[in-house]
Amino acid sequence: MEYNGAKILVETLIEQGTEVVFGYPGGQVLNIYDELYLNADRIRHVLSAHEQGAAHAADGYARATGKTGVVIATSGPGATNLVTGIANAFLDSVPMVAITGNVSCNLIGRDSFQEVDIVGITMPVTKHNFIVKDVRDLADTVREAFRIAKSGRPGPVLVDIPKDVQVNTAEYIKKPPVQPDAKKAPDAAQIERAVQMIAAAKRPYIYFGGGVITCDAGDEIMALSQKIDAPVGCSMMGLSAIPNDFASFLGMVGMHGHYCATRAKAEADLIIAVGVRFSDRATGDKSKYAKDAKIIHIDIDNAEIDKNIPSTLGINCDAKIALQMMLEQLNPLKHDEWQQEVRRLKQYEHDNAAKCLGKLTPYRIIDCVGALTQADTPIVTDVGQHQMWVAQHYPFKTARSFISSCGLGTMGFGMGAAIGASIATGKRAVLFTGDGSFGMNLNELATAVSQKVPLVILILNNGVLGMVRQWQTMFYNKHYSNTTLDRKTDFPALAKAFGAVGLSADDETSLKEALKQAFATDGTVLIDCKIDDDERVLPMIPPGGAIDDLILK
Amino acid sequence: MAKKFVIGMLVSNHFGVLTRVSAMFSRRGFNIDSLTVGVTELPEYSRMTVTMTGDNYARDQIIKQLQKIEDVKEIKELKHAQSVMRELIILKVAATSENRKDILETANVFKAKIIDFSPDSICIEITGECSKLDAFIELMKPYGIIEMCRTGTVAMDRGITSLKDEI
């Protein structure tokens, strides 16, 4: 059929399995929005309050399901408002297709109204991007965008569509959804060598990251841990891939990781690193990192192997296939002495846990929430202290239930992401945020209310920018430069003004009462939780430090 | 230890590909010595040659990061012994009636071509490997180089193989 570009775009999105798009209309996407209007029964559009919120929503949607998130924005400011959301998805390898309108081809390059070179701007933060200048290329370009977003290591892809391309017509023939590139299998000889290295190890340690969630290999990680009797730790991106109550799981490693998880990794003689990129927040001082350990590094992105930490054996392939092959070849192993040492570290961690301050403590808030959530409730965070407390303490049970901005560390990520995650799963989501992070994109409360999103928002309100303040306390002589907010925001009243329910809690009794109401309410509920402004995230490895610099309390 | 590397690439012949490649170098903090690009016998591909100085880590990372660019179709390190490498320079040197003969003689030894001859200057075209060109430039300096341009190295493997075989 001969369709105009806008209709071709919408038909191609539907053809590729898109059920929901997040976005915000504008001058250069009017034709696309006209088609969305006409096809409202076939594809749902979620209107955000700001394009950044829409991008984070598409991101949260993708993280919660593994499906590709789609976001639409107009040219110029609409497009630039997406940039943080796109960069956020890029750093955390989230599959996303971002569609932007642009001025007509004959106006490009003339600094026209609302014109920016969004392809140029997003080049460093996308897997790939396109500008479509001929409507005949549109459908295949969009299909290619979906293929790239999902293939190998996922990521965001942007397609910029000038207005005249949306208006011009071309032949459209429906095609099946594109398949991502075939999963790369490992080299058999490398697997054999890995098996030998594992068999020879005395203190093996499994360290995994977000790649394990992407390739759905949580079961294989647990099977490997059981078979070779090895403790397991993960990066923040890896959280939720295996249940927290898995016996050998020690938790997150790194700057604010669990003492035992980080320490045991430092004592290991073999680290089996799976789908993880050795980020500086996870490794600390690289020159002192795992000095005595051999490293097997399995990753789908060849460029990650030896990028941050040199490996003894790098295997560039799909992690699930590699783990399955290793499991077939490995004989069961026992490491009693090593496990005993790990238990000793665990006990030490337990005995030396930092004491919390104030009437209402972060960990207790998380406990109270955890008592009311289900195994697959999407747990979303913003960025800062609250994020670390949740990462350390929340009892994750189901893969993809933890949704957080790990690589880019985007304050303001949470509201959009929580809306996207709730819409994607059809479940009530929980957002842990801080008064600082929440302040960045609280306009999305409007979206949550208008879309009737079941969402419980917990603001861990300490009146300060807690994480920065913590650094100022520890490394900047308590010079609290611009981190004491001194705002008079009445968050429950604010929630009410947006049409949500607003509650507050300053002790455990009032929190439990508020949570009870929140989880019984159909819609968006905000709970303002007052916590102490000197509460710190511990343990902590100071920036640039190593395991021996770890501060426990 | 820093060494010189030469990388040959086949890339899609689209607008923006050069930006994608060069932006990656600056984004990741890699220094390149030269980059050349031109269309090939297949109109859908351009060929790039990158020369860089760095250690093995930089070389491996640069190749892996280039491989991740969608428009980069094939990439290979070209080793000195198994490749032919050439660069072209156009160089304008000040000349007087006294030294003109010496300049021409030197150019002749280097098998350079004279492409412009003016009362006060000579324009010379010279092709060869980097080291030869560097030596020639050194010899021309005392006469006064007025201006010069270098193309950067182009290179390919010796023998019957081709980068496009791998695609």
Side-chain angles (χ1 to χ4, degrees):
Chain A
M1 291 289 286
E2 185 91 359
Y3 291 154
N4 68 27
K7 186 162 175 60
I8 291 173
L9 170 69
V10 171
E11 288 298 330
T12 312
L13 291 175
I14 294 170
E15 150 205 304
Q16 294 301 315
T18 309
E19 292 162 354
V20 184
V21 294
F22 301 87
Y24 202 99
Q28 305 304 329
V29 286
L30 271 161
N31 295 68
I32 296 171
Y33 273 80
D34 196 49
E35 277 306 317
L36 288 169
Y37 176 86
L38 294 170
N39 290 284
D41 55 334
R42 299 168 67 208
I43 186 166
R44 177 178 174 192
H45 179 272
V46 175
L47 174 66
S48 66
H50 182 286
E51 289 89 350
Q52 186 187 348
H56 292 323
D59 181 321
Y61 180 94
R63 286 185 211 237
T65 56
K67 289 193 256 180
T68 301
V70 180
V71 58
I72 302 179
T74 191
S75 64
T80 54
N81 281 346
L82 292 181
V83 173
T84 302
I86 293 171
N88 190 76
F90 185 66
L91 267 279
D92 286 351
S93 313
V94 176
M96 180 191 286
V97 171
I99 309 281
T100 49
N102 208 335
V103 298
S104 290
C105 290
N106 62 343
L107 293 172
I108 285 177
R110 293 160 193 258
D111 304 317
S112 308
F113 178 65
Q114 293 194 330
E115 183 201 351
V116 295
D117 171 19
I118 195 62
V119 166
I121 289 170
T122 57
M123 213 173 262
V125 292
T126 49
K127 261 188 100 174
H128 193 58
N129 58 18
F130 301 92
I131 178 164
V132 183
K133 291 195 170 170
D134 185 334
V135 67
R136 287 169 297 183
D137 299 332
L138 180 57
D140 278 342
T141 304
V142 173
R143 290 171 187 135
E144 183 68 353
F146 275 88
R147 181 192 66 78
I148 294 168
K150 275 290 272 181
S151 291
R153 176 180 183 175
V157 181
L158 180 133
V159 183
D160 193 28
I161 311 174
K163 175 109 172 189
D164 55 331
V165 175
Q166 299 168 32
V167 174
N168 294 342
T169 61
E171 184 74 9
Y172 167 79
I173 299 161
K174 189 178 171 186
K175 289 194 181 167
V178 287
Q179 292 303 311
D181 297 351
K183 287 177 177 168
K184 190 170 190 258
D187 181 59
Q190 287 186 320
I191 293 294
E192 212 170 291
R193 195 165 154 224
V195 166
Q196 286 163 4
M197 284 169 71
I198 292 170
K202 297 210 160 35
R203 298 185 305 281
Y205 183 100
I206 302 168
Y207 171 44
F208 72 86
V212 167
I213 296 178
T214 302
C215 73
D216 188 26
D219 287 344
E220 284 77 5
I221 289 286
M222 290 188 284
L224 180 68
S225 161
Q226 284 168 332
K227 194 155 196 182
I228 67 170
D229 197 21
V232 187
C234 69
S235 70
M236 189 158 71
M237 280 299 292
L239 281 173
S240 86
I242 67 174
N244 274 37
D245 56 10
F246 177 67
S248 296
F249 185 57
L250 307 179
M252 177 175 80
V253 306
M255 182 176 274
H256 292 299
H258 283 268
Y259 169 79
C260 177
T262 310
R263 185 86 234 179
K265 183 145 69 72
E267 290 182 13
D269 68 347
L270 175 70
I271 296 172
I272 306 160
V274 187
V276 72
R277 65 185 171 90
F278 295 99
S279 137
D280 54 291
R281 281 296 188 270
T283 61
D285 184 352
K286 290 187 194 339
S287 66
K288 293 179 187 153
Y289 183 77
K291 272 192 312 210
D292 305 322
K294 290 183 171 148
I295 295 175
I296 299 172
H297 190 181
I298 304 171
D299 204 283
I300 192 69
D301 181 356
N302 196 30
E304 288 305 340
I305 292 168
D306 299 340
K307 184 181 84 178
N308 289 334
I309 297 289
S311 62
T312 319
L313 171 64
I315 311 181
N316 170 221
C317 69
D318 181 82
K320 192 181 177 87
I321 304 175
L323 290 168
Q324 285 170 341
M325 287 173 70
M326 280 156 65
L327 281 164
E328 267 174 40
Q329 296 178 31
L330 277 162
N331 293 316
L333 300 166
K334 271 281 161 214
H335 298 291
D336 292 334
E337 219 172 290
W338 173 224
Q339 289 290 7
Q340 204 179 323
E341 166 66 5
V342 171
R343 276 194 296 277
R344 188 188 69 77
L345 294 171
K346 222 172 180 173
Q347 189 61 43
Y348 184 84
E349 174 176 337
H350 182 261
D351 295 344
N352 289 279
K355 296 278 176 290
C356 290
L357 310 165
K359 279 197 290 183
L360 197 52
T361 67
Y363 285 171
R364 283 303 297 155
I365 296 172
I366 295 165
D367 287 337
C368 292
V369 172
L372 293 169
T373 50
Q374 289 162 344
D376 55 359
T377 298
I379 303 298
V380 186
T381 77
D382 255 301
V383 167
Q385 287 185 309
H386 71 272
Q387 177 191 30
M388 293 301 130
W389 288 318
V390 172
Q392 290 174 336
H393 197 68
Y394 186 85
F396 295 103
K397 292 190 179 72
T398 311
R400 302 192 174 279
S401 62
F402 177 58
I403 291 163
S404 190
S405 167
C406 302
L408 195 66
T410 312
M411 289 174 71
F413 167 77
M415 268 308 293
I419 291 165
S422 174
I423 286 173
T425 56
K427 294 181 195 312
R428 183 192 312 278
V430 173
L431 168 65
F432 287 96
T433 182
D435 46 331
S437 280
F438 186 68
M440 285 212 175
N441 279 334
L442 60 82
N443 50 2
E444 298 303 338
L445 263 176
T447 311
V449 169
S450 66
Q451 299 289 329
K452 301 186 176 61
V453 174
L455 175 61
V456 179
I457 303 162
L458 292 121
I459 302 181
L460 275 60
N461 184 352
N462 52 9
V464 294
L465 300 176
M467 186 59 96
V468 179
R469 181 187 163 92
Q470 174 171 340
W471 285 44
Q472 289 170 336
T473 304
M474 297 168 82
F475 315 118
Y476 290 86
N477 302 315
K478 300 192 179 179
H479 295 166
Y480 295 125
S481 173
N482 292 281
T483 51
T484 307
L485 292 174
D486 198 22
R487 292 173 183 166
K488 308 292 179 229
T489 315
D490 180 342
F491 286 110
L494 180 89
K496 285 170 203 155
F498 272 98
V501 176
L503 305 169
S504 63
D506 55 7
D507 59 18
E508 220 171 295
T509 317
S510 55
L511 175 67
K512 282 181 174 160
E513 206 45 51
L515 283 171
K516 206 169 126 192
Q517 187 185 339
F519 277 81
T521 304
D522 222 13
T524 302
V525 182
L526 177 152
I527 307 174
D528 183 22
C529 307
K530 300 280 191 311
I531 63 164
D532 194 284
D533 59 2
D534 278 326
E535 191 73 75
R536 285 186 298 170
V537 180
L538 293 169
M540 179 176 194
I541 298 175
I547 180 74
D548 292 329
D549 309 316
L550 186 141
I551 301 161
L552 203 49
K553 56 182 175 181
Chain B
M1 205 197 60
K3 284 181 281 190
K4 232 179 161 62
F5 298 105
V6 180
I7 295 165
M9 276 189 275
L10 277 181
V11 302
S12 307
N13 185 14
H14 287 160
F15 62 92
V17 179
L18 179 60
T19 315
R20 285 179 206 282
V21 170
S22 58
M24 191 282 289
F25 292 130
S26 58
R27 185 165 85 248
R28 303 232 174 232
F30 296 124
N31 287 316
I32 55 170
D33 300 328
S34 75
L35 191 161
T36 68
V37 58
V39 290
T40 65
E41 73 283 11
L42 303 170
E44 66 268 37
Y45 297 123
S46 296
R47 177 142 180 160
M48 286 189 188
T49 309
V50 176
T51 61
M52 60 168 294
T53 311
D55 55 13
N56 288 341
Y57 169 82
R59 177 199 58 188
D60 291 351
Q61 261 297 308
I62 237 173
I63 290 176
K64 285 172 170 180
Q65 295 294 350
L66 284 168
Q67 277 166 335
K68 281 170 67 168
I69 298 175
E70 281 292 325
D71 284 322
V72 173
K73 299 302 174 189
E74 195 52 53
I75 179 164
K76 192 180 179 192
E77 185 192 351
L78 300 169
K79 304 270 188 189
H80 203 262
Q82 286 111 44
S83 313
V84 284
M85 298 182 187
R86 289 293 180 272
E87 183 176 8
L88 182 143
I89 295 182
I90 300 175
L91 181 142
K92 193 187 290 171
V93 62
T96 60
S97 51
E98 289 82 43
N99 64 17
R100 188 171 288 126
K101 219 175 126 205
D102 296 341
I103 294 170
L104 292 176
E105 220 163 80
T106 313
N108 198 27
V109 170
F110 277 79
K111 296 195 170 62
K113 263 200 270 178
I114 307 305
I115 53 175
D116 183 59
F117 203 98
S118 304
D120 306 316
S121 70
I122 301 174
C123 199
I124 303 169
E125 171 198 318
I126 173 167
T127 318
E129 287 206 20
C130 242
S131 51
K132 169 182 159 182
L133 304 188
D134 290 341
F136 185 71
I137 291 166
E138 282 306 310
L139 289 170
M140 287 299 114
K141 270 184 188 167
Y143 302 110
I145 295 173
I146 299 165
E147 61 178 335
M148 62 172 273
C149 28
R150 299 179 80 136
T151 58
T153 300
V154 291
M156 62 172 68
D157 269 345
R158 295 173 188 276
I160 194 158
T161 58
S162 154
L163 258 186
K164 67 174 183 266
D165 300 345
E166 320 272 328
I167 294 175

